Every structure is written in structure tokens, then in C-alpha cells.
Amino acid sequence: MSKRQLSVALAAVTVAGSVPVLATSAAAAPVRAEAARPAAADCGAQPDEWQAMSAALLCGTPVENLAARSETGETVANPDGTWTAKIYAGQVRMRDDRGTLVTIDTTLRAAADGSVAPVAHPGGLRLSGAAGEGRHELLSIDVGGERVSLGWTGRLPAPSLDGSRATYAEIRPGVDLVVQADRTGVEQFFVVKNREAAAAVTDIAVPITADGLTIAKDGDGGLLFKEKDVVVGTSPTPEMWDSSIDPATGGPKRIAKVPAEQSIPSAGRATVALRPDRSFFADPATVYPVVVDPQINPLGVAFDTYVREGESVDRSGANDLQSGLTSGDRTRSFVQWDTSRLVGRQVTSATINLYNWYSQSLHRRTVGRCGPPARPARRPAGATSPPGRPGRSPAPRPRATAPPAPTAGCRSTAPRSSSVP
């Protein structure tokens, strides 16, 4: 779950906390809570821990401590004297040029010079506007504090913008180039609209520049971006898929790795030559449009991925997590939360919230050792166009109209804990 077009996994952790003493006059009679309730404006978020807890006690409502707000979480004071830390498994905020925390917004906007950028993107993503023949920088993004760019050789029309997606139409006959911004990274799609257009994508060269970083092969068709031998970003194995839908997963039915030749002439320079399998395009079972997909994913504090039997593809850039049996193959998810804010705290309960986009089975069942039986999930109506990546979609998935109800909390029996059980 990444953060990305992100179905964010949220851990809500309740911890015991000290209750501030409110100053009162020794001669004053006890004050009723109703009479002591401050003005409505005073019941909002407060600048520090003491004021947040004071407002929560007086107002009888949870109050956020703004000093504890971060890129991946927030902390609120509860009227009973405890604290609740909401920790996301992906980045939901970033710091702007002034150092102020702002909500990430991947909506693309065109600048006066024709270039395109999201409203607020932690990687400072920039896309090209219209360009003539020759080699151009298609996009650039911060990875590990350095700038990584993808190039394109040939004409680029002015992109049409739709939310977080930019479409450069007909960069080759019958082929659109789509760039999708997600919460931390970026993805580039070649959308082959019909069988006749397949001849235009049998050999695609994608030049990559990463000044200040070292580019290395990952051994499975992808690339690693390293800073002093530490991996700070990835470009996973390219894949291609058609528009057929697998009823067992709700995702693309026909998926294949894209053969790629990687040339790395120097530490910060590489060219990936994509050579999609022609038999995939020619197969009568192939449903068009077909998508060919390289991507770049910076690594952060939070992390999640899933693994599936028979696959070696890096899914850390996917916008969903899969678990259980998928078309008969066992699938497992791994999620990492930044729990540093819980160190030294006594955790009294913890709840994890996730969005359920799709379930192969609609039968009611119990999930885990805590919580009520899971409600049957409904498959979102319709399909995206172009078809979505397995675990990623160039068009936003249908969103739930309301957050899912939290599962029943699992109360810790240990006297102290520094992390979520």
C-alpha cells in the first residue's frame, strides 16, 4: 500500500498519557464542565501536547497535537486522558519550500512555460510540456536527495491532464504515452491501442539519468538507484498486460514480463531497451488496449509490498496489498509503519484500518484473531481505461464513499510496549 494512488493502511494506537493539571483559584467552587467549556474555536487542533490535552478535557472531544503531526501520522489527545496516534503506512504529507507540512496532492497542473507538475509532490516531480523532434527530458523526480530523469526521443505533443495522469497522445501511430504521478513516485505507460499499433513498440529505448547516484541491475530485469551502496530507489521489472479481467483477482488476466536490455555506461547513466514480446500482441486472446509499464519508486521510512508464489516481481510500488489465495497461488502482504512516536509509551490498544477494493469470495468470514466477521466486499463497478497494472492503476480506482469501520481493537496485556503488537 503505498502511499501512491494509495489505499493507505492506518494503524490507530491508543496509549496511556499524563493528564495536565488545570490551574484554578483555590477559593473558587468546583466548575461544571459545561461552564468551563471554551469557545468552539478553542476546541480545534492545538500547538503542543499540554494545550491539546487541556482542550480535550475541557471540550470533551479529541484534539490534535499539531507539534506531533508528521509526514506519516498525527496524534490526538482524548477526553479520558489517553492519546491516540494515527500512523499511516504511506506518506500523506510533505514539507513545502517553507518547511510547512502540507497534504500531498498529485493533481497535475500546467505551468506558464508549458511544463507540468503536481500541486504538492514529495519528490518534486516535473513533466515535459510539448516538444519537437530530438531527445528530451520526459520527467524528473527526487530520489535519495538526487535528481533522476527519464528521457524520450521524438516529438511530444502538449499533454492532456486528468487528475494525476498526463497523456501524450499518438507519440507513435496508435500509441499514447501516459505518465501517472503517485504519492511518492511516478509511472510511465505506453498504451498500445490496437493490434496494428503493436509494430510501433517492438523496441523502445528509455534513457535514464541519475546524477549523484549509482545505477545497478537488480538481477530480475529491474534497476536499483544507490547512494553509497544504500538503495534509495527502484525501477522494478517492466511488465505488460492487456484489457482482459481476471474474475479471480479483479485485475488484468494476461500479464507478462517485458524483455529488456539494460545498458549502464557509467554510474549515473543507463538506457533500458524495452522489447515487448510480439507473440503477446499477435495472440488472438489479447484484448486491446495493451499497456507496457516501466516505473520509478523512491524508498521512504514507511514500506509495504506483497509476494506471490511463482513471481519474483517487485510489488513495493503497487497501490494495493494482496493476501490469501490469488488464482490458486498463496499471496502474503508485508507492511511497515514508522512507530518511533510510540517508543516509551504504554500501548493499551491498536486497530488497523484498510480499504477492501476486491475479494474473490463474497462469503462472510472472520479475519485474524481480533474483530468481528468481515463484511462481504463488493467489486468496484467498471474497469479503468487504460487497464490497470496488477496492484496499480493509471486511472484512480473507484473510492469508497466512507472509510471502512475499524476492526475491534486488540488490547495489550503487557504492562508496557514500544510498538504496535
Side-chain angles (χ1 to χ4, degrees), residues 194-267:
N194 51 61
R195 204 174 304 275
E196 293 71 26
V201 292
T202 54
D203 193 343
I204 305 173
V206 180
I208 301 174
T209 302
D211 292 331
L213 300 177
T214 299
I215 303 176
K217 300 178 182 179
D218 70 357
D220 193 39
L223 294 174
L224 303 175
F225 301 98
K226 297 183 177 181
E227 183 178 27
K228 297 180 180 178
D229 294 327
V230 176
V231 177
V232 294
T234 65
S235 180
T237 307
E239 290 185 304
M240 60 190 297
W241 58 91
D242 74 350
S243 296
S244 60
I245 300 298
D246 186 347
T249 65
K253 185 177 182 179
R254 305 186 70 244
I255 309 168
K257 289 185 179 181
V258 176
E261 180 179 332
Q262 302 158 319
S263 172
I264 306 177
S266 61

Side-chain angles (χ1 to χ4, degrees), residues 269-294:
R269 298 289 188 276
T271 298
V272 178
L274 304 175
R275 296 189 172 91
D277 188 352
R278 297 188 182 191
S279 64
F280 188 98
F281 292 118
D283 192 330
T286 298
V287 180
Y288 284 83
V290 171
V291 176
V292 182
D293 171 42

Side-chain angles (χ1 to χ4, degrees), residues 10-306:
L10 168 64
V13 184
T14 301
V15 299
S18 58
V19 179
V21 177
L22 304 181
T24 59
S25 169
V31 180
R32 291 171 55 86
E34 292 82 354
R37 189 182 304 275
D42 297 330
C43 295
Q46 298 296 320
D48 57 40
E49 180 176 302
W50 194 93
Q51 293 183 69
M53 182 58 76
S54 299
L57 294 175
L58 291 172
C59 299
T61 59
V63 176
E64 182 183 358
N65 170 20
L66 292 176
R69 182 181 288 185
S70 73
E71 288 87 345
T72 58
E74 61 257 13
T75 302
V76 298
N78 301 315
D80 62 359
T82 63
W83 297 87
T84 296
K86 297 181 180 179
I87 307 172
Y88 299 89
Q91 189 172 350
V92 295
R93 303 183 187 90
M94 56 168 281
R95 294 196 179 275
D96 62 15
D97 295 338
R98 298 171 297 175
T100 303
L101 275 175
V102 296
T103 300
I104 293 174
D105 186 347
T106 58
T107 304
L108 296 175
R109 296 284 185 265
D113 63 358
S115 64
V116 175
V119 174
H121 191 281
L125 176 64
R126 291 291 183 273
L127 311 182
S128 173
E133 296 294 337
R135 181 169 173 173
H136 322 285
E137 180 181 276
L138 172 64
L139 63 88
S140 64
I141 187 173
D142 290 337
V143 175
E146 304 292 345
R147 203 71 179 165
V148 173
S149 64
L150 267 66
W152 176 252
T153 301
R155 183 187 63 86
L156 284 174
S160 62
L161 307 181
D162 181 11
S164 58
R165 180 173 60 173
T167 299
Y168 300 83
E170 296 290 315
I171 50 100
R172 292 182 180 177
V175 180
D176 290 347
L177 172 57
V178 178
V179 178
Q180 174 79 31
D182 62 38
R183 288 179 180 270
T184 56
V186 64
E187 192 164 9
Q188 172 185 333
F189 298 86
F190 296 97
V191 181
V192 184
K193 293 182 279 189
N194 51 61
R195 204 174 304 275
E196 293 71 26
V201 292
T202 54
D203 193 343
I204 305 173
V206 180
I208 301 174
T209 302
D211 292 331
L213 300 177
T214 299
I215 303 176
K217 300 178 182 179
D218 70 357
D220 193 39
L223 294 174
L224 303 175
F225 301 98
K226 297 183 177 181
E227 183 178 27
K228 297 180 180 178
D229 294 327
V230 176
V231 177
V232 294
T234 65
S235 180
T237 307
E239 290 185 304
M240 60 190 297
W241 58 91
D242 74 350
S243 296
S244 60
I245 300 298
D246 186 347
T249 65
K253 185 177 182 179
R254 305 186 70 244
I255 309 168
K257 289 185 179 181
V258 176
E261 180 179 332
Q262 302 158 319
S263 172
I264 306 177
S266 61
R269 298 289 188 276
T271 298
V272 178
L274 304 175
R275 296 189 172 91
D277 188 352
R278 297 188 182 191
S279 64
F280 188 98
F281 292 118
D283 192 330
T286 298
V287 180
Y288 284 83
V290 171
V291 176
V292 182
D293 171 42
Q295 58 178 296
I296 295 180
N297 300 317
L299 300 182
V301 175
F303 177 82
D304 62 66
T305 190
Y306 69 88

Side-chain angles (χ1 to χ4, degrees), residues 12 351-354 371-372 403-409:
T351 300
I352 297 175
N353 290 311
L354 306 100
T407 58

